[in-house]
Amino acid sequence: MDSNTLYKNVYTSDEHDHEEALSTTEVDESLMGDEKPSQHRRISTRQSCMDTFRSYRWILDTALLLIIIGLLALLRHEWSQRKIPPASWQVGGDYTGAGLIPNTHPNIHLLPPLRPLNTTQFFQPYTLTLWNTLMPPGTGLPAPDPTHTFFTTSMTHQLHCVYMMARIFSGVVLNATERIEEGVLPDDWHFHFMHCVDYMRQAVMCGADLAMEPHEPDDLEEGKLDALWGARHVCKDYGSVTKYLGEQINDGARVVLAIDD
């Protein structure tokens, strides 16, 4: 064997490395070719999931909103069940602190038609109509469920007592206490009157109006007592009171009986 033939069968290291590199490249390209469809499928699946999430996201948003509203309602309920601190109380207001009414300081004026000196006029329909203007909207509506406890309002109860005391007094002055069948007085007019005396005593002591009332030297003369009506008081705004009570009646939270009931 000649030397040329011998050398033809011997690979140089450079040729061997070159062939190995080509082989590796072909394998890598083959693997990459296999991975491309799989990677594309993963991207397509992810995109499909995102599209599905976006299309139904409103359900998640709505659910979260309902959860937030429920938690707020729960917190409000728990807050309403707590003992209300005295700092939130308003004299003549509800014990729970609800329904805070703005104060005002008017001059108290006399309204003669509410208490006519001619007692026969007290039983005229227009007198009752005038007293009814002091009551909130919805007065006289029946309780939603008479078989369960319902709540009325101290102020309207007090107005009822004042009206009934004046009515009973007028009946006594007219010597009409026996004409019960005509509806002039309630059947229990004597008990009713004394009940209202004690009820109004409690109301006066609870409110304890400390307004200063000026007295002139001639106040005790006949016809001069009305000068006391010029005193300035700190009062609840009465328009706000009747509006609030009307809303409570409409919501079913309170029942206000008719003033002559």
Side-chain angles (χ1 to χ4, degrees):
M1 181 180 298
D2 58 16
S3 60
N4 290 332
T5 304
L6 178 63
Y7 288 123
K8 286 181 181 178
N9 294 328
V10 177
Y11 292 99
T12 64
S13 61
D14 291 340
E15 290 176 344
H16 177 74
D17 292 341
H18 178 68
E19 290 181 359
E20 184 177 354
L22 289 175
S23 176
T24 303
T25 302
E26 290 174 356
V27 172
D28 291 342
E29 289 178 351
S30 175
L31 291 175
M32 289 178 65
D34 293 340
E35 288 179 356
K36 284 181 180 179
S38 176
Q39 183 179 6
H40 179 70
R41 284 195 298 271
R42 287 198 298 270
I43 294 174
S44 299
T45 302
R46 188 183 305 115
Q47 185 65 37
S48 177
C49 291
M50 292 298 295
D51 291 341
T52 302
F53 173 77
R54 291 192 187 97
S55 62
Y56 290 99
R57 182 177 176 179
W58 66 271
I59 298 178
L60 178 62
D61 292 342
T62 303
L64 291 175
L65 182 60
L66 291 176
I67 291 173
I68 293 172
I69 293 174
L71 290 174
L72 290 175
L74 180 62
L75 288 174
R76 182 176 181 180
H77 175 73
E78 291 181 354
W79 175 257
S80 66
Q81 298 301 313
R82 294 181 182 178
K83 185 176 180 180
I84 306 300
S88 65
W89 291 344
Q90 183 181 41
V91 174
D94 188 75
Y95 177 78
T96 63
L100 294 178
I101 304 297
N103 290 332
T104 183
H105 43 85
N107 284 323
I108 305 299
H109 298 290
L110 178 66
L111 293 175
L114 290 175
R115 51 105 175 113
L117 295 179
N118 182 349
T119 52
T120 59
Q121 295 179 2
F122 201 88
F123 298 100
Q124 298 300 318
Y126 63 80
T127 302
L128 176 59
T129 299
L130 185 60
W131 276 85
N132 279 328
T133 62
L134 305 179
M135 304 294 279
T139 294
L141 293 177
D145 187 354
T147 62
H148 288 73
T149 301
F150 65 89
F151 296 90
T152 183
T153 303
S154 292
M155 184 210 74
T156 55
H157 189 174
Q158 292 161 15
L159 282 176
H160 160 78
C161 266
V162 173
Y163 173 82
M164 292 305 298
M165 290 173 72
R167 188 178 181 90
I168 292 170
F169 174 78
S170 298
V172 171
V173 170
L174 293 174
N175 195 25
T177 56
E178 299 302 325
R179 293 187 293 165
I180 298 174
E181 67 278 5
E182 297 182 9
V184 174
L185 299 176
D187 295 346
D188 59 345
W189 63 269
H190 184 266
F191 171 81
H192 206 136
F193 186 91
M194 299 311 295
H195 154 77
C196 283
V197 168
D198 194 42
Y199 187 77
M200 293 307 299
R201 172 193 63 79
Q202 295 180 55
V204 170
M205 294 175 67
C206 180
D209 190 347
L210 300 181
M212 298 180 67
E213 297 183 343
H215 282 267
E216 300 295 337
D218 59 350
D219 281 350
L220 297 181
E221 296 179 10
E222 185 176 357
K224 293 288 186 178
L225 291 177
D226 287 345
L228 299 177
W229 293 101
R232 187 174 290 275
H233 299 254
V234 177
C235 308
K236 291 185 177 70
D237 179 66
Y238 200 72
S240 299
V241 170
T242 54
K243 179 182 177 182
Y244 172 73
L245 291 179
E247 293 171 350
Q248 291 269 290
I249 294 170
N250 186 58
D251 293 340
R254 298 176 189 248
V255 174
V256 175
L257 304 177
I259 197 169
D260 60 338
D261 189 349

